[in-house]
Amino acid sequence: MSLSGYYQMCKSMVGYFLYGKQLPSWDLEMQVFCDVVRHHTRGLFLESSDKTIEDIDFDKIHEGYAARPMPSTKLSIDVGVYCAHSITVSDCNLDSDWISGIGIAEDPLRSLIEQDASASRQIYGELLASWSACAVHGIHRNSHDRALEMRPLADNEKIVLCLHGGSYVMGGPSSHREVLGKMTESSKLRSFIIDYRLAPKHPFPAQLHDAFIAFQYLVNQGFKPHNIVLAGDSAGGHLCVDLVLLLRHIAKTTLRQMTPAGVILLSPLPGMHMHGASLHKNAVYDYLWPTPIEWPTSPIRLFYKPGQKYDDEYRKEICDPLLTPVLGDLSEFPPTIIQSGSSEILIDDIRELYVKLKLDNPEHGWIQWEEYPEMFF
């Protein structure tokens, strides 16, 4: 920990004993953790201005995030096992005809598809199997090899496709092993998480392209689309919503069944155009700091067209449904559950996303919302 980090830790401890808890359920450890992490996250996205945008080295910024990745977590052997599975992109790529009319992502997706046609790119992933998921299929701990085979273990086996969070600039399978292990343990389902490309080196829609490839990969391995559950936290939640919209578009274009079994959104990033009062009201609690979108180095600006100024055209583009889904048509959505905390900076915009999903899907009651008073993800 840096000297400034130690100072923040001491300051937080003193504040706890002098002024009390910031939130009723917080103990000393929780309060110090949030204060110290908030202190460090403020330094993740450096202050910048469009006035000097030409001087910003976005490649260097990308290398900086790669050099200090999110901490790796372990999957306890008491929970389950995992192994690596890499996807050969050429076996699962998008057909460019499928994306005709998709909107703001169409031209860049066509370019990405064309690039992959002449490359031997692979996407790293990890397949996780909890012991509870193994038990469903009669697999024992001392002979679990079959649980790590990338194929259905039963005709109608469901599997979770996990898309990790990290502001689209950080994160990967290793950072999410522990939380994904808990998900597979409680759901008794195996899960597959991919290491999708990150911004700013790979801006939108590279992540959506990789997410679709992973979905198609599972289908190619024998999993039916309606048996694939999408799950994502933070930016991964935003990516899950985007993937549903892309799959819905492809289904209408090709008349194929592409609707997933359901969607799990954990404190999802609601979109690029956010305006909720909680962005600033909850900044004192959330360990994430609301980086101004006016900064070219903010996570949104790094994700979508890094290097472009925040002008009227940019403001218009980030209102596209693939960037801000609440401003589009969210009908025909699969069963969805959203979990988030009332003290998060994004909670107002997450609530708006939930309301939009309910309004656009009145025919079923499978859009569920769970809000916890002091949850953070």
Side-chain angles (χ1 to χ4, degrees), residues 16-290:
Y16 181 87
F17 290 111
L18 285 181
Y19 308 111
K21 305 174 181 180
Q22 291 181 8
L23 290 174
S25 69
W26 281 13
D27 57 14
L28 175 62
E29 182 180 1
M30 181 64 176
Q31 187 149 315
V32 170
F33 169 81
C34 286
D35 284 343
V36 171
V37 174
R38 187 185 310 114
H39 169 77
H40 283 291
T41 56
R42 289 192 69 155
L44 283 176
F45 303 100
L46 301 177
E47 183 173 357
S48 56
S49 168
D50 277 347
K51 294 179 180 178
T52 57
I53 195 169
E54 291 82 5
D55 300 326
I56 298 175
D57 189 337
F58 290 98
D59 288 336
K60 188 175 181 180
I61 290 175
H62 185 90
E63 292 168 1
Y65 289 126
R68 49 177 181 176
M70 292 174 68
S72 293
T73 60
K74 294 181 179 180
L75 178 66
S76 170
I77 192 62
D78 294 328
V79 174
V81 288
Y82 74 93
C83 70
H85 278 276
S86 291
I87 304 171
T88 300
V89 170
S90 59
D91 294 340
C92 318
N93 208 353
L94 267 166
D95 185 325
S96 58
D97 291 337
W98 296 350
I99 60 170
S100 179
I102 191 65
I104 202 167
E106 181 174 344
D107 289 342
L109 274 176
R110 288 186 186 278
S111 177
L112 291 170
I113 293 168
E114 187 176 321
Q115 291 172 26
D116 278 343
S118 58
S120 55
R121 188 168 70 91
Q122 291 197 323
I123 300 173
Y124 176 79
E126 292 180 357
L127 177 66
L128 289 81
S130 65
W131 299 127
S132 61
C134 290
V136 171
H137 302 285
I139 297 173
H140 302 287
R141 293 193 183 198
N142 57 356
S143 57
H144 60 258
D145 290 353
R146 190 162 66 93
L148 297 177
E149 294 177 5
M150 187 58 81
R151 62 177 180 80
L153 301 177
D155 287 342
N156 285 309
E157 182 193 5
K158 286 184 170 62
I159 190 169
V160 180
L161 173 58
C162 180
L163 303 171
H164 67 81
S167 301
Y168 281 125
V169 299
M170 294 175 288
S174 65
S175 62
H176 281 61
R177 286 185 194 127
E178 183 178 3
V179 67
L180 199 52
K182 293 177 180 178
M183 183 183 294
T184 61
E185 185 176 37
S186 60
S187 67
K188 299 181 181 180
L189 300 176
R190 294 190 295 164
S191 62
F192 182 55
I193 181 170
I194 62 164
D195 193 18
Y196 61 76
R197 287 171 288 182
L198 298 175
K201 183 178 181 180
H202 303 287
F204 172 87
Q207 301 76 17
L208 178 57
H209 185 209
D210 287 353
F212 172 81
I213 289 170
F215 187 91
Q216 187 62 43
Y217 173 71
L218 291 176
V219 172
N220 290 353
Q221 304 312 303
F223 293 95
K224 299 178 178 67
H226 62 264
N227 285 332
I228 300 174
V229 179
L230 307 182
D233 67 287
S234 189
H238 179 266
L239 187 51
C240 284
V241 176
D242 265 13
L243 180 55
V244 171
L245 296 179
L246 176 61
L247 293 172
R248 185 186 66 181
H249 180 87
I250 293 174
K252 291 179 179 178
T253 303
T254 64
L255 301 180
R256 298 167 62 191
Q257 201 293 114
M258 299 291 284
T259 305
V263 184
I264 302 169
L265 304 176
L266 304 175
S267 299
L269 172 67
M272 306 294 111
H273 179 69
M274 294 178 288
H275 53 269
S278 61
L279 277 170
H280 301 287
K281 181 181 68 176
N282 285 346
V284 67
Y285 306 121
D286 201 331
Y287 58 78
L288 295 178
W289 187 66

Side-chain angles (χ1 to χ4, degrees), residues 214-372:
F215 187 91
Q216 187 62 43
Y217 173 71
L218 291 176
V219 172
N220 290 353
Q221 304 312 303
F223 293 95
K224 299 178 178 67
H226 62 264
N227 285 332
I228 300 174
V229 179
L230 307 182
D233 67 287
S234 189
H238 179 266
L239 187 51
C240 284
V241 176
D242 265 13
L243 180 55
V244 171
L245 296 179
L246 176 61
L247 293 172
R248 185 186 66 181
H249 180 87
I250 293 174
K252 291 179 179 178
T253 303
T254 64
L255 301 180
R256 298 167 62 191
Q257 201 293 114
M258 299 291 284
T259 305
V263 184
I264 302 169
L265 304 176
L266 304 175
S267 299
L269 172 67
M272 306 294 111
H273 179 69
M274 294 178 288
H275 53 269
S278 61
L279 277 170
H280 301 287
K281 181 181 68 176
N282 285 346
V284 67
Y285 306 121
D286 201 331
Y287 58 78
L288 295 178
W289 187 66
T291 313
I293 193 172
E294 290 81 10
W295 293 6
T297 49
S298 68
I300 289 174
R301 300 280 297 280
L302 294 177
F303 170 64
Y304 183 68
K305 291 189 174 179
Q308 179 170 318
K309 291 187 175 182
Y310 187 59
D311 53 18
D312 289 343
E313 182 63 24
Y314 192 93
R315 292 184 183 89
K316 179 181 177 181
E317 289 178 3
I318 62 173
C319 292
D320 184 272
L322 284 176
L323 294 173
T324 305
V326 73
L327 298 178
D329 174 16
L330 298 181
S331 63
E332 301 177 52
F333 226 77
T336 300
I337 182 169
I338 304 174
Q339 292 184 340
S340 52
S342 54
S343 297
E344 298 179 13
I345 59 174
L346 300 179
I347 188 62
D348 284 349
D349 290 283
I350 294 174
R351 289 173 182 146
E352 188 177 0
L353 174 63
Y354 164 71
V355 170
K356 175 65 173 175
L357 282 167
K358 288 287 286 186
L359 288 174
D360 286 1
N361 296 275
E363 70 283 356
H364 66 73
W366 290 105
I367 307 296
Q368 297 186 24
W369 163 265
E370 295 179 1
E371 182 176 325
Y372 299 91

